[in-house]
Structure formats: C-alpha cells, structure tokens
Amino acid sequence: MSTPIRRRTCTAVAGVVLAALAATVSPAAARTVDVVEHASLTLDRRDGTRLYESGRATGTLPGKVAAVFTVSPWSVTGTVTLLPNGGGTLTFSVNGKPSRRARGRTTFTGTMKVLTGTGRYAGARGKANFTGTVVMRTWAATVTARGRLTY
Amino acid sequence: MRRLVALLAAASSAGGSAHAKPPPARIAATVDTRTARLGQPTELALRLQVRPPHSPVRSISVRYPRGWNLATSGLGADECKRPASDFVAVLLDLPLDGLAGCPRNAIIARGRARAQVRIPGMTLPQTALLTLLAGPLERDQLRLVVLAEGINPFGLLLAFQGQLKPAAAPWAGTITLDIPQIAPSKLPYDGATFALVDVSLILADRRIVYHDPHGVRYHPPGIELPTRCPPHGWRFRADLHYLDGTRSTATTRLPCPRP
C-alpha cells in the first residue's frame, strides 16, 4: 500500500532537484525589455561625408554613446554604440532620413537594429525606431529611440 | 589668378537629334586657390555658358563627383516652400529684392545669369541676380528653388524649380534646374522669348549668412573637399536640354588644390 506514496514523493523530490539544477546550471533566461533612450550627441570630428559624434544617453540603459554617421541630403546611415553604465556594449546599425528643416535644425527619423553586443549584451537582438533633430551649425544632435531589446 | 580655373577647353558634345546641331556648351568649376585645401570646407563656383543659344535652354543638369557632399556643408538649414503654381507661371507678382517669403537659412548659392530676350526684329541682353534655395525633401530628392531677379533691362522676379538627387557612380549627385518658357502674354513685349546664355552660381558663397536656433549669425562652413584628389582632378558634367528637343553635354575637371 505504501508504494504509490513513496513513488509520488520520489517524483516530487526529483522534480524539485531538477528545477534547482536548472536554475543553477543553465544559462540565465533571455529577457526582453521595452527600451526608451534619449541621447544627446556633439560633433567630435568630420571626415568627408562622415560625422563622428559622442555623448550620453538617459533612459532604460543610461550610459555613454559613440556614433558614426554617413550623411547625404537624402539619408543618414551609420552605427551607434551604447556603453551602458552597468557594463557591456550594444552596437546598432542606423538607417534614417531627414524629414524637415526649419530654423537651423533638421529633423530626422529612422530605424536601428542591434548589430553586436558584448558582456551582458552578448548575443543581444532587437530593433527600435528613432526620431531626432540636429543643429546644422554645430551638428549637435538629440535623439529619442523606442524599441525592444532581448539579451 | 584668384581662382583655379578648370580646364578652359572643356569638352562639349551634341546629343543626337534630327534638329540642328546644338551649340557648344561650356562648364567651368572653380574654387578659391587661396583657401581651398583637401578635407576643408570651401565655396564652389560653377559657370555654364551656352553660345550662341539657337533654341532656349529647357533644363540644365550638373553632376558632381563622388566624395563631394552637400549634406555636411551645413547649407540649406531651412526650407523654401513655394506653391507649384509659381513654377508654372514662372513670373512672380512679388516685390523685387526679396526672397519671395523664403527663409535666408535656405540659401545655398548666389549668382548671376545672362539671357537674350528676343523680340521680333531685335535681341536684348538681360541680366539677373540668382539665388538658389533648398526646398523640402520629397521622395529621396531635395527640391530646389531658383529665384532670378531681373535687373536690366526688365525688373522681373522669376521662379524656377529644380532637384538635387543621387547619381550613379562615378557621380555623387545631380543638380537639375527646369527652365520653362514664360507665357509670351506675360512678358513686357508680346511675342518675346528668353534664352539663357550664361549662368554663374557660387555654392556656399561666403556672403551667405544664416541664423542658428538661438538667433546667432554665422556663415555656413561650405562644401568640404574630399581628403583625396584623383590624379586629373574632379570631373563635373553638365547636360543641357533645349526647347527644340536637342541636347548637349559639357564636362570639365577641377584641378587638385595645393596640399
């Protein structure tokens, strides 16, 4: 009569042990977060059609930002590298276009996608839409990006 | 010699057509030799000559070489928006000596044009001041507006439209200006026609003044020369289409500035 009870107990114990093992041995489950980032960038140098900019980001992943943009009258492409305060890096490809110019500022919109990540962001994936403005005298830019990141 | 004059013997060729062979056209591209340096911003002067105009020029397209980028010049920090009807009418009923309501931050070049006004029985030379302005970006091309202010003998304000768009290699982009005929009934003399003979434009002219978002005056830096110059200089090409359906092409090379 006691056999079924003993079998159930053993099964339950095995389940707990397996769950504990899974929690300690397997890699951490990927987490997906909605990201809203605001970045302020200033021009470091210009090289032909390339603009090298850097600055700081606030929002979901605050930290430093470095960017290289290739600009034409009809497009903005390049890469943006985010260095969150908690470590690691995230590099995005950027594809956008200017939409409107007024009072010395150009507004632009586009999309960005994770190219690579390091540290805690190794293997990260995700994409975002962004809008921004750039002051054409100084090339200082402010950008807001909204998207989803899995890492 | 203040300016580095591009090859004076600019090549010119005529496009195929059953009409009379179009006249040779010449284009010259120059930069200021005192200040132009590789990798540094500069102003760029373009001059196009049509001699003698057998038929009025209908459109002009100028291609500029890879490595030249107007986007990083800081030019066109605002947009000039004129109604489409302006470019149909061409002749604007607006005061001279203005920008037809366009912002100064939209100016990207200033220049001068000469035309022949043909009236039955006589031909008069007409001169005009030109202002090239940046318009809005539409379908991957930047709209352009040219305001021509007639200064002698007729005081007229004309508006033309154009586009700046990407071009296939070895070019970076094409600047096209459309030059429709003005309705004869609108001209001071019935039956008169305009025929363009000479256009000079200085892009990023140092006299251009912008205001930043804080209202501070500044000069847009200009078109940054590429960091490398090809062995025979940079090539520019002009394509002209005439009202009678003929066309002609002119090319020139801008020699490399001193290192």
Side-chain angles (χ1 to χ4, degrees):
Chain A
M1 294 291 286
S2 64
T3 306
I5 295 169
R6 191 176 300 148
R7 193 174 290 158
R8 275 205 295 272
T9 306
C10 287
T11 306
V13 169
V16 169
V17 170
L18 282 173
L21 279 173
T24 54
V25 175
S26 71
R31 56 187 292 228
T32 298
V33 290
D34 289 326
V35 177
V36 180
E37 289 291 293
H38 307 281
S40 297
L41 301 165
T42 55
L43 180 71
D44 295 327
R45 66 186 175 97
R46 259 182 0 169
D47 180 7
T49 60
R50 285 186 179 168
L51 303 175
Y52 294 82
E53 306 220 330
S54 61
R56 296 205 68 85
T58 58
T60 314
L61 301 170
K64 291 181 182 173
V65 184
V68 184
F69 298 114
T70 300
V71 296
S72 78
W74 36 80
S75 69
V76 182
T77 57
T79 58
V80 172
T81 300
L82 176 65
L83 297 90
N85 291 338
T89 65
L90 277 166
T91 300
F92 300 85
S93 62
V94 174
N95 202 327
K97 60 172 56 181
S99 56
R100 187 167 172 270
R101 302 182 314 283
R103 299 176 186 274
R105 286 190 176 95
T106 297
T107 306
F108 53 91
T109 58
T111 57
M112 52 200 291
K113 200 168 89 175
V114 175
L115 276 180
T116 61
T118 64
R120 62 192 300 195
Y121 302 105
R125 59 189 192 280
K127 53 189 176 183
N129 295 319
F130 68 85
T131 60
T133 58
V134 61
V135 177
M136 292 186 71
R137 182 183 184 187
T138 59
W139 296 104
T142 54
V143 183
T144 299
R146 289 184 170 83
R148 186 162 282 187
L149 179 70
T150 302
Y151 62 97
Chain B
M1 183 173 72
R2 179 173 173 249
R3 291 193 176 280
L4 193 62
V5 179
L7 295 183
L8 289 173
S12 176
S13 64
S17 142
H19 299 276
K21 187 179 176 182
R26 294 202 327 182
I27 182 172
T30 62
V31 294
D32 189 334
T33 53
R34 294 173 305 179
T35 56
R37 296 286 181 275
L38 292 177
Q40 297 295 317
T42 185
E43 57 180 24
L44 169 69
L46 293 172
R47 184 174 185 188
L48 188 68
Q49 293 171 287
V50 187
R51 283 181 188 164
H54 73 299
S55 170
V57 174
R58 185 167 54 85
S59 74
I60 300 168
S61 293
V62 176
R63 295 180 209 199
Y64 58 92
R66 275 280 156 95
W68 288 66
N69 189 348
L70 300 184
T72 54
S73 66
L75 292 167
D78 217 325
E79 296 173 0
C80 170
K81 290 178 185 165
R82 296 295 312 170
S85 57
D86 278 4
F87 307 116
V88 177
V90 180
L91 196 56
L92 300 188
D93 188 18
L94 290 170
L96 294 172
D97 197 23
L99 290 174
C102 291
R104 292 195 169 276
N105 278 10
I107 299 172
I108 59 179
R110 287 200 184 273
R112 195 172 272 267
R114 279 194 308 115
Q116 288 182 352
V117 182
R118 293 171 181 171
I119 301 165
M122 91 168 95
T123 300
L124 296 172
Q126 168 79 38
T127 54
L129 300 175
L130 299 180
T131 307
L132 177 64
L133 301 121
L137 189 75
E138 288 176 6
R139 281 171 291 184
D140 288 342
Q141 53 182 262
L142 184 70
R143 294 277 176 194
L144 299 173
V145 176
V146 178
L147 296 176
E149 184 187 327
I151 49 174
N152 184 38
F154 304 118
L156 305 170
L157 183 62
L158 310 178
F160 303 100
Q161 67 179 334
Q163 310 88 40
L164 170 64
K165 51 189 174 188
W171 313 104
T174 306
I175 298 170
T176 301
L177 302 179
D178 304 318
I179 310 169
Q181 280 291 294
I182 307 166
S185 59
K186 303 266 185 180
L187 289 169
Y189 291 92
D190 198 19
T193 58
F194 271 88
L196 200 63
V197 291
D198 197 331
V199 182
S200 297
L201 278 173
I202 302 176
L203 285 90
D205 188 323
R206 288 195 194 87
R207 290 168 291 180
I208 295 173
V209 175
Y210 283 0
H211 288 86
D212 75 6
H214 304 291
V216 177
R217 288 162 54 96
Y218 71 100
H219 297 283
I223 301 164
E224 190 168 304
L225 287 176
T227 50
R228 289 183 192 169
C229 186
H232 302 292
W234 293 286
R235 193 162 157 244
F236 291 77
R237 169 177 159 161
D239 292 286
L240 289 88
H241 287 80
Y242 301 87
L243 200 60
D244 66 358
T246 55
R247 61 183 192 271
S248 64
T249 299
T251 60
T252 190
R253 285 186 190 273
L254 173 64
C256 302
R258 285 177 300 172

